[in-house]
Amino acid sequence: MSDEFYIKRCLELANIAIGNVNPNPMVGCVIVADNKIIGEGYHQKFGEAHAEPNAVKAVFENHGQDAERLLKQATAYVNLEPCAHFGKTPPCADLFIKHQIKKVIIGNRDPFSGVDGKGIEKLKNAGIEVISGVLDTECRYFNRRFFTRIEKQRPFIILKWAETANGYFATLDGHQKWISGGLAKRLAHQWRTEEDAILIGKHTAIMDNPQLTSREWPGKNPVRLVIDKSLQIPSSNHIFNKEAKTIIFNEIKTDVVEHVHYIQMEDMHFYLAQKIAFQLYLMDIQSVIIEGGANILNQFLQADLWDEARIFTSHNSWDEGVPSPIINGNVIEQINIGEDKLTIYNNINK
């Protein structure tokens, strides 16, 4: 099998933990000897063992007393450079050195300052052959949330909305009226399990009273983020229930009341998108879905602070309504979700 085959297998393994390792990257590791996979693993949960020790552990579980011999002649594949520093776990590069792995093949070099070539250097200094940059573009896209946070000091920002066939986003009177169908809703709940947080504005919170949970898909709930400058949302609103942590950005107070965190910001009518993006970076929130309303979505669009947009288009039309935001991006995918069409864009400026 080719190096690319095994790196793709690393990505398959790493993807199992999507949404569970943030703000760490998703990493998989495959160990090969005699053209056979002898062990594989992935980083399963933030704070727990990385992919490399899980793969080495699998070698010992699969091969017992023969494991040490096999490791000395093995090639280890990993989609991101092994770490070289002590964090919540020991350095993975040291583990490969300890077991005298013959060769290490890497997808991406790690942009984090604590690694950034140091893992590769440590492996080479120990006499281990290292090849990096295999499927570099594909691996970078796979960990785009992590790379965005490290390189741009902000979360990966996903815009999401539904619109009618003739381009309406919401009703004129502000009352909730569903646009997309049940399959689109279920997919949106799956997305929530994959990202750290979900953001809405005050108007959406009051008029729609959304729960912002992942109740229709197994997995964790995202952190709920709400913009409420003057703290006008009623305490009976669903966002204040105990289903998930809720953060309220406002101009009045900073406080913590059980699972609800109030974060005070000054002059929220200036550069709001930029302020929120940087605040989320400071909070180690690596990715966020912005669901509206139109004003909030347009603020992030106007600030050019977005990376991906996911737009459901219904086959139904309305006579009138609030016009949908205007997106200017590259179409990277179009698929049918039931009777709706899903179009995914990325930002042409990023």
Side-chain angles (χ1 to χ4, degrees):
M1 297 293 182
S2 66
D3 292 344
E4 289 79 5
F5 173 86
Y6 291 118
I7 291 293
K8 285 181 179 179
R9 176 57 182 162
C10 291
L11 297 180
E12 289 176 357
L13 291 166
N15 194 61
I16 298 171
I18 187 169
N20 293 324
V21 298
N22 301 349
N24 283 355
M26 297 179 288
V27 182
C29 178
V30 176
I31 301 176
V32 177
D34 298 326
N35 294 316
K36 295 180 181 179
I37 295 176
I38 60 172
E40 57 184 24
Y42 63 97
H43 184 28
Q44 299 178 18
K45 189 176 180 181
F46 177 73
E48 297 184 358
H50 288 184
E52 296 91 334
N54 284 334
V56 170
K57 180 182 177 183
V59 174
F60 281 92
E61 291 174 347
N62 295 336
H63 299 280
Q65 294 181 345
D66 206 28
E68 285 288 3
R69 179 188 66 81
L70 288 170
L71 285 169
K72 289 179 181 178
Q73 64 187 51
T75 297
Y77 293 84
V78 61
N79 60 288
L80 191 72
E81 177 182 2
C83 60
H85 65 295
F86 282 91
K88 291 184 179 294
T89 60
C92 294
D94 289 359
L95 181 68
F96 283 163
I97 293 168
K98 173 186 174 182
H99 292 289
Q100 300 176 36
I101 296 283
K102 185 178 180 181
K103 187 176 183 180
V104 177
I105 296 180
I106 297 165
N108 291 140
R109 179 166 165 159
D110 192 328
F112 176 59
S113 59
V115 187
D116 196 16
K118 298 180 180 68
I120 292 173
E121 182 181 11
K122 183 177 278 192
L123 292 170
K124 287 182 175 179
N125 288 341
I128 296 173
E129 182 183 355
V130 179
I131 297 174
S132 62
V134 176
L135 295 182
D136 182 84
T137 301
E138 187 172 337
C139 291
R140 183 183 175 89
Y141 179 76
F142 176 77
N143 267 318
R144 57 196 181 279
R145 298 163 181 84
F146 173 72
F147 276 88
T148 297
R149 177 178 170 272
I150 297 298
E151 295 176 348
K152 299 181 180 179
Q153 296 188 332
R154 64 167 178 81
F156 186 83
I157 298 171
I158 300 166
L159 309 180
K160 178 257 174 184
W161 70 82
E163 61 186 32
T164 64
N166 56 340
Y168 289 127
F169 172 87
T171 59
L172 287 176
D173 62 10
H175 285 89
Q176 187 179 46
K177 184 177 179 181
W178 285 104
I179 296 176
S180 53
L183 283 177
K185 181 179 180 181
R186 196 156 188 259
L187 178 57
H189 282 221
Q190 178 187 343
W191 291 340
R192 292 177 182 180
T193 69
E194 297 172 352
E195 312 304 336
D196 285 350
I198 183 167
L199 172 69
I200 62 169
K202 175 197 69 179
H203 184 75
T204 300
I206 292 174
M207 299 306 298
D208 294 352
N209 193 16
Q211 298 182 57
L212 303 184
T213 62
S214 310
R215 58 197 178 277
E216 294 198 16
W217 193 266
K220 67 173 181 61
N221 290 323
V223 175
R224 299 179 293 203
L225 310 171
V226 184
I227 300 168
D228 186 9
K229 179 180 175 180
S230 303
L231 297 181
Q232 296 176 318
I233 300 171
S235 59
S236 58
N237 192 282
H238 286 143
I239 61 162
F240 293 109
N241 66 31
K242 296 183 179 180
E243 295 295 318
K245 178 180 177 180
T246 299
I247 296 172
I248 310 290
F249 296 111
N250 69 95
E251 286 190 348
I252 296 175
K253 67 177 181 179
T254 294
D255 194 10
V256 177
V257 182
E258 295 183 332
H259 63 289
V260 181
H261 296 233
Y262 296 88
I263 296 181
Q264 184 178 14
M265 288 182 168
E266 295 182 353
D267 299 324
M268 291 180 69
H269 52 291
F270 292 120
Y271 303 108
L272 180 61
Q274 292 89 335
K275 289 175 180 177
I276 288 176
F278 186 62
Q279 181 65 47
L280 296 182
Y281 167 75
L282 295 176
M283 295 164 60
D284 276 344
I285 288 179
Q286 185 163 263
S287 61
V288 59
I289 301 172
I290 300 177
E291 286 208 356
N295 177 47
I296 299 301
L297 286 163
N298 279 319
Q299 286 197 54
F300 278 85
L301 283 166
Q302 290 162 12
D304 201 28
L305 265 178
W306 66 280
D307 299 285
E308 194 169 288
R310 303 172 182 178
I311 303 170
F312 290 107
T313 303
S314 170
H315 67 290
N316 295 318
S317 294
W318 292 354
D319 293 334
E320 60 180 9
V322 177
S324 300
I326 303 300
I327 193 81
N328 182 24
N330 289 320
V331 175
I332 58 175
E333 189 174 9
Q334 281 189 316
I335 54 176
N336 293 322
I337 306 294
E339 294 185 338
D340 303 310
K341 180 179 72 176
L342 170 63
T343 305
I344 301 179
Y345 299 81
N346 65 10
N347 192 334
I348 59 176
N349 299 319
K350 303 300 180 184

